[in-house]
Every structure is written in C-alpha cells, then in structure tokens.
Amino acid sequence: MTEIGFPWRFEGSELQLLRLLHRKDGWTRSALARRSGLSSATISVTVQRLMEHGLLRESGAWTEGVGRPAAVLELSSEAWSVLTYELAPQSIRVGLLTATGQVLETRHHPFNAESSRLNAGDLVGAMARMGRQLVDDWSDGHTSQVGGGTRRAGAVIGAAVSVSGVVHSGTLVHSAGLRLRDVPIAEPLSQELQLPVWVMNDMDARALAEFRYGAGSQRDHMLMVAIEPAGIGAGLIKKGEPLQGSQGSALELGHMTVERHGLACPCGKRGCLEVYSSEAAIVSRAGVLQQRRAGRDAGPAATACETAQVESLWRLATSDSNIRRVFEDALDYFGIAVSNLVTLLDPDLVVVGGHLMRLLHPWGMEKLVSDVRSNVFQPGEKEVRFVPAALGPDAGLAGASFFAVQRLLGHV
Ligand SMILES: [Zn+2]
C-alpha cells in the first residue's frame, strides 16, 4: 500500500494503471496488461476497483482493426483535481484543473511587477488566499460546462505553479519579469494550503502540455520554442519529462548569445537573442526607424512592449520594406538560435509557439523551417519536423498540473 497526496490508499497495481492512464489516452485492458506486465486477471480486478472508486471509466470508444474490438479506458475527469497557478509579470492566475487537464475555472489577480514591489510573503499569501477561495467555492458540488459536458471538481490532491523565471527545488531563483530573486514558493505555499506543491518554469510547463495534450503527440524528444511578449523561451521534453538542468536554467533560449559584443541585454550580458528577436526588440528597432524618418535623432530604445504595437507594425510591413526587414532580421537571429538547439539536442519534433509566431504565420514558420534546414547538422536520414503549437493560453496551467500529478503518482 502506498500513501500519497490522494484521499485514498492505492495498491501497487492501481498506481501502475493510473500512471499509464494519466500519461496517455487510448488504453485497452490488453494494452495495459502488455505495458504493465500484470496478468489479465489482475488487470480486470484492478480496472474494476478503479471504476468503483470513480477514477476511470470506459470511454465509449472501441478499438478497430484486427482482432475482437475492445473497450477503450480513460481516466475520469473527476478522478481528482489540481489547484494550479501561473505567475507572470502582470498577474497571478489560479485555476482548478480536472484529472484530464481541463480548466474548470480560472481567476486572476492583476498586478504590475514594475510599479508594485512584491515581496515573497505577499506573493505566497496572495496565492494561498486565491487558492483557498477557489477550492471553497467548488467544494459544494459546483459544476462547470467544459468541452460540451458538465464537470465537477474531484478531490484536490495537490498544487502546481508555473512561473516566468528560473526555478530550482521549489524556489524561484530569478525572475526578471517579476523582479524577484531567491523566493521559496513550494514549501511556504504547501504549509498554507496543506497540499503538496510543485513549482516549474512556465516554458517547461507549456512544452509539457503540448507533449501531453497538444501538438507534441507524445514524441520522445520534443523541443518547443516560443517568442512571447514576455520573452523567448524553449523547453525540451524527453520521454515525458522536461530537461531542467542542474540549477533550473536549462534552455533559457532568450539568453543564448547570438552576437559577440552585441547589444546590452537586461540580464547583464551582451548579444542575447532576446535583444534581437523579441517583440520588444522589434518594437524598439521599428521605433528607431520611424523616428529617423521623421527627421529626429533616434531616441532611446522602447522598453515596454505592447502586443498591439507589434500587430500594427506587422500590418505596416506589407507595404513598408524597411519595417518588413526588421521582422526578417528578428527571425534571422531566431533561426540561428533554433538551428543551434536542433543541432545540439537532436529532437524529432519542434513545436513552435508564442504570440509573434502566430502573428507571422505562415510566413514566419516557413522562414524558420527553411533557415533551420539550411543550418542544422543532422547527419541522420530523418529531417526534424516542425508544427505550430496547438494549445491556447491555459497551456501553462495544464502542463504544471500534469507535472505535479506525475510526481504524486510516483512516476518520477
Ligand atoms: Zn540576456
């Protein structure tokens, strides 16, 4: 018997099946037997017990093809729920997620990290209050319409946090956007909520969500790259786990050096990808161009980046070759960085996400693929595939929640 963050005690075989069903869809009883090594009789009894507890059910689908059709099993969305947070420079978001990664409800508390100085106590206190309120509101049979069905919240088994910054062992080591350094989150939040808590980098969380629920299609070596208003990031998912590095800063793509003695980056280095390819960099360079044209001296580079500014610049780019050149330059640097990552990591799939790449689609994707194909060192026969990200703004919540449950189920 194993005691974990659940209100039930699981037999070893039950845990084994829950791990497989949480990790992937589309299991039949015989596939579970083959994968787990358990006998068919044990699988039958275990599946029956898990169904009686309301943790899994038959999906209504049947396998087709050779052999007798077999019922497909799935995790029940109400098997459990996970309280999940997203910390970004403009807001704290909290959501209650089902066992199958769907969002029942999210709430957000806006703040401006640039103007209001956050301290660690305030942050964790605000997170705990928001989380408790959300769980309380859902504890009395509250329902929500998700994906065409009525959903209830299962027992809350843990909490997960996705944060824009470097995370190591439950501590936010550094976040330029949140203006925080060395803030322990997992332990104090766990004490406040009386739940196990896991904290991870937002890009790792989004990459993990694409792997499990989106465009990643469960590939063994999936790389995700993204250009977001807040910065440039990457995540590598190897067999369902993010590569985090020894101190949590693996794949900080935005701070890969792409120009020796280049422009100064807010991180303190020079020549980082972020100062050439981010939305802030595009707005800044285009602003300098437009000021020159107006006969004024180039002023200081813009620091605040508005999503709307990039969108209006992209509309201008159709008729203004100088503005278009700014976008091409930004993608040239991004292509170099992504080629280097592909050469180093040898992924079999690259998921491309973020606001800028969505805005520039399909031109941006075609340019990126062509740049990488001409620069990458891949001596094997297979060419790396590129796909656009499939998930929306809740991907970070879904990925962090998946990460926490993997740990609760003892998968990692
Ligand atoms: Zn930098």
Side-chain angles (χ1 to χ4, degrees):
M1 302 284 256
T2 314
E3 191 166 11
I4 47 179
F6 293 88
W8 320 278
R9 283 171 165 259
F10 289 118
E11 302 276 356
S13 62
E14 292 173 329
L15 261 183
Q16 241 179 310
L17 297 201
L18 286 175
R19 273 180 212 141
L20 293 173
L21 285 148
H22 173 249
R23 175 70 176 268
K24 196 165 165 274
D25 296 325
W27 294 96
T28 59
R29 286 172 177 77
S30 56
L32 286 172
R34 276 197 304 277
R35 184 62 188 267
S36 65
L38 298 168
S39 70
S40 307
T42 306
I43 293 288
S44 284
V45 172
T46 309
V47 163
Q48 189 57 37
R49 245 191 341 250
L50 290 172
M51 280 181 166
E52 283 164 12
H53 281 300
L55 298 174
L56 60 102
R57 63 181 177 207
E58 289 180 344
S59 70
W62 292 74
T63 55
E64 290 172 2
V66 190
R68 266 192 310 169
V72 175
L73 297 162
E74 68 182 13
L75 209 54
S76 160
S77 65
E78 291 163 18
W80 57 75
S81 53
V82 180
L83 188 61
T84 312
Y85 296 86
E86 189 170 65
L87 302 184
Q90 294 83 27
S91 73
I92 304 174
R93 261 207 324 153
V94 62
L96 198 58
L97 272 74
T98 68
T100 45
Q102 289 157 317
V103 173
L104 290 167
E105 184 183 345
T106 59
R107 294 176 185 176
H108 85 287
H109 171 63
F111 68 88
N112 186 339
E114 279 184 33
S115 58
S116 59
R117 284 216 70 76
L118 272 177
N119 68 50
D122 292 345
L123 178 69
V124 170
M127 291 170 77
R129 277 193 302 281
M130 291 171 73
R132 276 195 294 261
Q133 186 65 57
L134 184 61
V135 172
D136 279 356
D137 292 348
W138 277 83
S139 60
D140 55 358
H142 195 85
T143 59
S144 164
Q145 297 298 316
V146 181
T150 303
R151 301 263 189 270
R152 262 178 199 79
V156 181
I157 56 166
V161 183
S162 153
V163 56
S164 152
V166 175
V167 176
H168 185 54
S169 298
T171 291
L172 176 58
V173 178
H174 176 242
S175 169
L178 286 160
R179 304 197 165 198
L180 289 173
R181 223 173 237 288
D182 297 318
V183 179
I185 295 178
E187 206 189 312
L189 187 60
S190 175
Q191 281 178 9
E192 290 269 1
L193 296 171
Q194 293 294 299
L195 287 171
V197 176
W198 283 271
V199 187
M200 71 188 304
N201 168 266
D202 59 345
M203 195 60 216
D204 288 341
R206 290 176 43 207
L208 200 50
E210 289 289 346
F211 164 82
R212 174 62 182 89
Y213 305 111
S217 317
Q218 305 266 335
R219 304 302 280 263
D220 278 348
H221 293 84
M222 188 209 94
L223 175 68
M224 181 168 178
V225 293
I227 307 179
E228 292 289 7
I232 300 175
L236 182 82
I237 306 300
K238 188 182 171 212
K239 296 189 189 300
E241 271 298 297
L243 177 75
Q244 296 175 304
S246 66
Q247 298 179 75
S249 63
L251 292 150
E252 281 289 329
L253 183 61
H255 302 287
M256 173 187 276
T257 305
V258 291
E259 274 294 348
R260 193 172 174 231
H261 310 308
L263 299 170
C265 176
C267 78
K269 297 199 311 116
R270 283 191 166 273
C272 293
L273 179 65
E274 197 109 349
V275 287
Y276 295 93
S277 299
S278 65
E279 295 195 347
I282 290 170
V283 170
S284 163
R285 275 210 53 204
V288 171
L289 270 179
Q290 284 172 330
Q291 285 185 19
R292 272 192 199 141
R293 260 187 243 157
R296 300 195 300 268
D297 289 340
T303 50
C305 173
E306 297 293 337
T307 298
Q309 282 178 280
V310 179
E311 289 171 0
S312 67
L313 283 170
W314 182 236
R315 284 193 293 274
L316 278 178
T318 53
S319 58
D320 185 327
S321 60
N322 286 320
I323 300 283
R324 189 173 176 91
R325 188 66 229 160
V326 171
F327 282 93
E328 283 171 1
D329 285 348
L331 279 211
D332 281 347
Y333 280 107
F334 188 55
I336 290 169
V338 175
S339 302
N340 289 341
L341 272 193
V342 171
T343 298
L344 291 174
L345 299 171
D346 188 21
D348 58 356
L349 183 72
V350 182
V351 176
V352 181
H355 171 257
L356 185 67
M357 294 306 283
R358 273 198 309 280
L359 179 68
L360 306 188
H361 200 78
W363 170 78
M365 183 69 137
E366 285 161 8
K367 173 164 170 50
L368 178 67
V369 172
S370 142
D371 287 358
V372 172
R373 294 254 155 89
S374 50
N375 287 320
V376 77
F377 174 76
Q378 266 200 321
E381 280 179 9
K382 242 179 26 182
E383 277 191 323
V384 63
R385 279 205 315 127
F386 287 78
V387 290
L391 303 176
D394 292 333
L397 296 172
S401 165
F402 179 77
F403 182 80
V405 177
Q406 292 250 86
R407 276 143 190 83
L408 280 162
L409 291 173
H411 194 93
V412 183

